[in-house]
Amino acid sequence: MQYMKYSKSLLLMMMILPWFTVPLLGKNTFKRFSPAGLFISFIVAIVHFIAKKRKWWWWYETLHPKVSWGFPLILGPYFIGTLWILKWTYGSFVKYMTLNLIVNSMFTYILVDLLKKTGIASLVRLKKIQLLFIFIVDALLLYSFQFLKEKIQLQRKQNPTNEI
């Protein structure tokens, strides 16, 4: 557990580093996919709230006592990762789900162990396969949100005088 003394720094880096990739996304991509990213981040925050109450997982380290334990993960890699995955795969559901399954499996089966080793978080009453299932449901919600958002925008462009 030699990494435990760096757990707060690792958590801070986990939140900040993904934001350095935002300029590489492009302004149009950010504008196009950020509503879906915000939507799924909100959903994940609700899941984290439920998980805390049911003790599915536990966060040992926080950045600040008043900052929620899952906040750095949601605002950092989850939100930005969502934008990147949508940029690379939106329009091909099979590619989207495949990439999501790969990324979520890596998080579940590799990063969860790293979070535990560094003293940041660990699963308590949830098995890894159950966590992966939650991520898959999140991925389906995210794609559905983006699909509906773009469908509504397309209908508005086609019928600018009619309210939908």
Side-chain angles (χ1 to χ4, degrees):
M1 295 279 185
Q2 66 191 27
Y3 300 109
M4 288 185 79
K5 64 182 178 180
Y6 302 112
S7 59
K8 198 169 282 221
S9 299
L10 289 171
L11 198 55
L12 186 62
M13 284 186 347
M14 195 182 333
M15 184 176 79
I16 294 171
L17 287 178
W19 283 91
F20 285 110
T21 68
V22 169
L24 302 173
L25 277 169
K27 184 179 178 181
N28 291 336
T29 299
F30 189 84
K31 284 176 66 175
R32 178 181 180 193
F33 296 126
S34 60
L38 290 170
F39 165 76
I40 202 62
S41 294
F42 178 72
I43 297 296
V44 170
I46 291 170
V47 170
H48 279 294
F49 177 77
I50 294 167
K52 184 177 181 180
K53 294 288 184 194
R54 295 182 180 227
K55 293 185 172 98
W56 288 349
W57 52 75
W58 187 253
W59 292 81
Y60 303 106
E61 188 67 75
T62 61
L63 292 177
H64 187 273
K66 293 185 179 185
V67 175
S68 174
W69 30 267
F71 191 70
L73 196 63
I74 294 169
L75 275 187
Y78 201 85
F79 178 73
I80 302 301
T82 294
L83 301 179
W84 278 105
I85 288 172
L86 286 172
K87 177 182 175 134
W88 290 330
T89 64
Y90 186 74
S92 173
F93 184 72
V94 173
K95 277 185 189 177
Y96 171 80
M97 286 307 294
T98 302
L99 184 57
N100 257 290
L101 189 58
I102 291 167
V103 170
N104 292 332
S105 294
M106 288 174 55
F107 179 87
T108 302
Y109 293 101
I110 297 171
L111 191 60
V112 165
D113 292 336
L114 181 64
L115 291 172
K116 185 175 183 178
K117 184 178 179 179
T118 57
I120 294 173
S122 65
L123 295 177
V124 178
R125 292 185 179 165
L126 197 69
K127 295 178 182 170
K128 288 182 179 180
I129 193 72
Q130 292 169 315
L131 179 61
L132 185 59
F133 178 74
I134 290 170
F135 286 147
I136 290 169
V137 171
D138 288 345
L140 291 169
L141 285 171
L142 172 64
Y143 199 89
S144 298
F145 180 92
Q146 185 65 30
F147 180 81
L148 290 173
K149 177 185 159 281
E150 294 204 357
K151 186 176 181 179
I152 290 168
Q153 286 177 335
L154 183 62
Q155 287 176 350
R156 285 184 179 160
K157 284 182 183 177
Q158 290 174 347
N159 300 325
T161 57
N162 297 339
E163 296 275 332
I164 297 174

